[in-house]
Amino acid sequence: ADDILFEINSIYALRPDKLAHDLYGDSGLWWVFAARNPNVIEDPIFDFKIGTKIYLPKKRTLEKDLGI
């Protein structure tokens, strides 16, 4: 409910790992974006393109839900 709507820009195009690193401090959490946006991201790399709007879970939500 408190996710952030984000439009992928040129910095993060084809780089979900970079966005995960910048948001969560862990590039290994790239898969979270595909899991949270299954109707938008089928291929976690090639669907991560400029102009695509996705929901981003907040870091504290991930920490709570994933126990990290």
Side-chain angles (χ1 to χ4, degrees):
D2 65 347
D3 290 354
I4 301 163
L5 184 61
F6 177 78
E7 186 172 331
I8 298 169
N9 57 36
S10 61
I11 295 170
Y12 299 114
L14 306 177
R15 295 296 310 270
D17 60 325
K18 183 176 173 95
L19 181 58
H21 178 269
D22 290 351
L23 285 178
Y24 309 129
D26 185 346
S27 61
L29 292 173
W30 60 267
W31 59 270
V32 168
F33 308 128
R36 174 59 183 89
N37 300 277
N39 295 329
V40 178
I41 300 176
E42 290 182 30
D43 182 302
I45 304 295
F46 294 108
D47 288 342
F48 221 77
K49 53 192 169 196
I50 296 172
T52 301
K53 293 181 182 178
I54 60 172
Y55 286 99
L56 305 176
K58 291 184 178 177
K59 184 175 182 177
R60 70 175 181 261
T61 302
L62 280 185
E63 290 170 343
K64 179 182 152 205
D65 292 348
L66 299 178
I68 55 173

